[in-house]
Amino acid sequence: MRQSLKDREHLLRMLALLVAAIAVFLFVRSIAVPKDYGRFGPFRASALDDIAAMPVVFAGHSACEECHSDVVEARQGSKHTQIHCEICHGPAAAHAADPTASKPARPDGRELCLNCHVINVARPADFPQINPREHGDEGPCTACHPHHHPEP
Amino acid sequence: MEPLLHGVQGFIYPNEIELQWSILIVLYPFITGLVAGAFILASLERVFNVRAVKPTYRLALLTALAFLLIAPLPLQLHLGHPERSLEMFLTPHTTSAMAMFGFMYLWYLLIVLVLEIWLDFRRDIVMMAREKTGAARLFYRVLALGSDNISAESLKLDDKLGRFLTFIGIPSAFLLHGYVGFIFGSIKANPWWSTPLMPIVFLFSAMVSGIALVMLMYMLTSWFRNRPPDMDCLDTIGRYLLYAFIIDFGLEMVDLLHRIYESDESFRTLDFMVRTHLYTSHILIQIILGTILPIGLLAVVQLVQLQESARRTLYAIAGSLTLIGIFAMRWNVVIGGQLFSKSFLGYTTYKMGFATREGVLPALVLMALPFVILWILVKILPPWREE
């Protein structure tokens, strides 16, 4: 009996090592996993509060239209009316709250347009696309297409 | 994006233009396949008592370990943020095969491979701890967990436990590589991948590549050590390679015939792809150069009486071609599955970088690393007993 225990000793040491590794793992896990993990699903429940506390950066087009009736008028009848102001001008909630404090970007009248209109096989064939090397003399698109009503 | 568009043909969705799964994702199944194959060859000796392959038993285990240690690196490099991979263990998600793989990997690495190698080498470790001096002695003492007992009784226990581990190791090796095939086979949106045969095909190709690798490593190490390789052993491995290869090729052909006969809505697209974009890597390299030719060479050895040196040369050529062929198979699965649009109306091309994070250079370094690790492992634990 004594002898057989001695012959098993190295195996018991290996077993102890494994058990210790598992214990360390469980210990690290108990510290590293946030307490509220999994309350609503496989994520940290308080992440929802963190996200809700983030400042709102978009104001929405109806906010812009209250003050910029001239732009609304200019856009009338354009196919671009379906594109809201902040898609081109970037998030502007701060500006809508206090117009003098911050000003939205004035986007580049060539780069901006090419984002959506450069020819690309991945776009539906009936979407208006142009090849920038052949169309418009390399100049700003807004030279010929009024920026709020691009149709000629 | 614009330069990529020149490689596009027909209609393709925006997210299909650039291939997301790069050469690193090709390496990953290739490497895990080598691990599983090498382990299965090693277990032949242990479980099925194939005495002839005994000279390769320990080398095969060390090879499997060297490659398994590198296996997650291509994924880490591909995904970036290696520190996040720990989350997979901390907050496991049981509904995702990929998320559970971490546990599978740890189990296979620690319980199956490391423990089995430890049990098998324990006598050598203790002997080394007795013979060496200084730091080396301390190192081996730690490896032996401070035990100095190599009585016949304790070694018998080790052998029994080792046999048991091999026993559960075989299904683990099957799981390890079957899982990789499962990941591809279960993507139902991709007709090139989505087939229940995928895990089985991956498994057999894994065995083929692992056996070929161990055969080559055995010949190479014998040559380095200036010893003639044991021809009986090589012949046996060559035979197993042939059998596994025939099954593997058979399964792939069944899959192919089934696709041709079924001719579902994706067939014309895939057929065109295989005839054009994948012609070189699929038809020429994978099937002709990497499958039919090595099967032919291995069959010649079985059918014709050849000199030892001729057999050795044939084994070396067949083994190398096999590895090329299985690599091409992984390539064709991973890259091929992303070359066609899921609309079945267009194709894109794979532009591989060189010294980029997922380029050829890191792939080459990753492929060389296991050999460096193996070299170190062999220095620490010589798999052959010096006579």
Side-chain angles (χ1 to χ4, degrees), chain A residues 6-7 10 13 29 37 42 122, chain B residues 90 145-146 149 151 153 158:
Chain A
K6 203 162 166 242
D7 287 331
H10 62 284
R13 286 186 192 190
R29 184 168 188 268
Y37 176 88
Chain B
L90 296 177
L145 297 184
N149 185 359
S151 66
E153 187 60 32
D158 288 354

Side-chain angles (χ1 to χ4, degrees), chain B residues 29 33 47 58-59 81 90 96 109 130 150 195 222 257 299 363 379:
Chain B
V47 175
R58 297 172 130 206
L59 185 64
H81 281 289
L90 296 177
S96 153
L109 175 68
R130 285 182 190 169
I150 47 171
T195 150
S222 306
L257 282 176
K379 286 273 161 229

Side-chain angles (χ1 to χ4, degrees), chain B residues 8-23:
Chain B
V8 169
Q9 238 177 308
F11 177 81
I12 190 159
Y13 296 120
N15 58 343
E16 294 172 332
I17 295 171
E18 193 180 356
L19 266 68
Q20 298 303 321
W21 283 7
S22 62
I23 184 171

